[in-house]
Amino acid sequence: MRALLGLAVESYDDLFCCVALDGTVLTWNSGAERMLGWSAEEVVGKPTSWLLPRIMPPEIVGLEHSNNSAAMRGEKVGP
């Protein structure tokens, strides 16, 4: 099942990445490579503190970090 999910995510045309609660990028598909220009080898394992400021406006970066911190504490994030 995990292999099938991996194949589906990799073949997805749009950007898809998965981030651990500690902020480490876990996956980076070919859609992300095409849209943002970095290979998976360049991004996977890096913290979102490196990635997000390069792809998001500052006000959204702060919100994303706040949401991640809340999720790590077990709090509900979002509406």
Side-chain angles (χ1 to χ4, degrees):
M1 183 62 131
R2 182 175 271 183
L4 185 58
L5 178 59
L7 181 60
V9 166
E10 182 52 40
S11 64
Y12 191 56
D13 287 335
D14 291 328
L15 184 154
F16 183 91
C17 72
C18 184
V19 177
L21 286 176
D22 71 359
T24 303
V25 178
L26 299 174
T27 64
W28 190 257
N29 74 345
S30 58
E33 290 181 356
R34 280 191 305 279
M35 293 176 91
L36 297 174
W38 295 295
S39 69
E41 292 78 25
E42 293 173 290
V43 179
V44 171
K46 288 195 173 172
T48 55
S49 59
W50 173 86
L51 175 64
L52 296 181
R54 290 166 170 77
I55 63 173
M56 294 179 167
E59 62 275 9
I60 296 176
V61 171
L63 178 61
E64 186 68 19
H65 287 304
S66 175
N67 286 345
N68 286 345
S69 295
M72 286 180 67
R73 293 188 302 271
E75 298 172 11
K76 181 182 177 190
V77 176

